[in-house]
């Protein structure tokens, strides 16, 4: 009986070796069955890994990166760096002076707007101008000149002109008591003393004898 048991054991070992040799030589995926998944998805850079190039990944700061082809950075609105907002009334120091030259047929007042803020700001088109008189308010009409855009750096200034007819009639005329200036695209006005001729000639018919030029029409200050 001992001899027979040893023979059966030898046959079983030989059969096992033969089966192993066939599986390793037929090009299959045997030997332990199908390959198992990696122990950590981070090793393959898959979803949830630390590789910023994969969807759902995070960078070293723990933030999800932008998709490929996307750009990041600050916007370019009026509050962002690299963009100039419009000059507000509170950003400006507004002054007026008589700029009439002897021999001119019309009087001229130059209104200057200086940026007193700490950032660049822009002015474009026309400011609103009204003259206060003893006969009521008189709105200046635009000259129709092309209006550009001016970027005012802190401490810099720009001027525009206000023209009006000189009172050479010898009569008392219409007495001017003040100048009201509203910066472009603003609703808050500033009232100044009128530095020009004391009176305007009395005119018949409609329309305003006072005209305002666009921003920059009276030269640019320092």
């Amino acid at each position: 009986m001992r001899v027979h048991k040893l023979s059966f054991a030898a046959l079983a070992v030989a059969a096992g070796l033969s089966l192993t040799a066939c599986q390793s030589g037929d090009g299959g995926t045997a030997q332990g069955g199908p390959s198992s998944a990696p122990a950590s998805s981070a090793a393959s850079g898959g979803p949830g890994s630390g590789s910023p190039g994969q969807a759902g990944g995070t960078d070293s700061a723990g933030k999800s990166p932008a998709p490929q082809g996307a750009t990041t950075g600050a916007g370019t609105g009026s509050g962002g760096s690299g963009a100039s907002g419009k000059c507000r009334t509170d950003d400006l120091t507004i002054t007026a002076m008589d700029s009439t030259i002897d021999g001119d047929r019309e009087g001229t007042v130059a209104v200057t707007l200086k940026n007193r803020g700490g950032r660049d700001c822009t002015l474009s088109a026309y400011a609103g101008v009204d003259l206060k008189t003893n006969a009521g308010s008189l709105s200046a009409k635009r000259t129709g000149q092309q209006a550009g855009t001016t970027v005012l750096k802190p401490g810099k200034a720009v001027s525009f002109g206000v023209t009006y007819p000189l009172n050479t009639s010898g009569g008392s005329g219409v007495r001017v008591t003040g100048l009201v200036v509203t910066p472009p695209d603003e609703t808050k006005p500033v009232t100044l003393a009128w530095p020009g001729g004391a009176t305007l000639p009395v005119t018949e018919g409609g329309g305003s004898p006072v005209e305002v030029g666009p921003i920059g029409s009276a030269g640019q200050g320092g």
Side-chain angles (χ1 to χ4, degrees), residues 56-134:
T58 58
D59 59 19
S60 59
K63 300 178 181 179
S64 299
Q68 290 185 356
T71 58
T72 59
T76 56
S78 61
S81 60
S84 300
K86 293 179 180 179
C87 296
R88 301 304 180 189
T89 302
D90 293 337
D91 297 329
L92 302 169
T93 297
I94 303 176
T95 57
M97 62 179 292
D98 184 13
S99 294
T100 304
I101 299 175
D102 290 343
D104 283 355
R105 299 177 60 182
E106 291 184 321
T108 302
V109 167
V111 179
T112 300
L113 300 91
K114 183 175 182 179
N115 183 0
R116 64 181 181 184
R119 62 178 180 85
D120 293 359
C121 65
T122 60
L123 288 167
S124 61
Y126 289 78
V129 171
D130 297 280
L131 270 61
K132 298 172 71 174
T133 76
N134 63 337

Side-chain angles (χ1 to χ4, degrees), residues 152-176:
L152 277 188
K153 294 185 177 299
K156 295 299 181 180
V158 67
S159 302
F160 64 88
V162 178
T163 57
Y164 61 96
L166 297 172
N167 185 12
T168 59
S169 66
S172 59
V174 178
R175 183 165 55 89
V176 183

Side-chain angles (χ1 to χ4, degrees), residues 38 40-47 49 54:
S40 172
S41 59
S44 60
S49 72
Q54 300 294 329

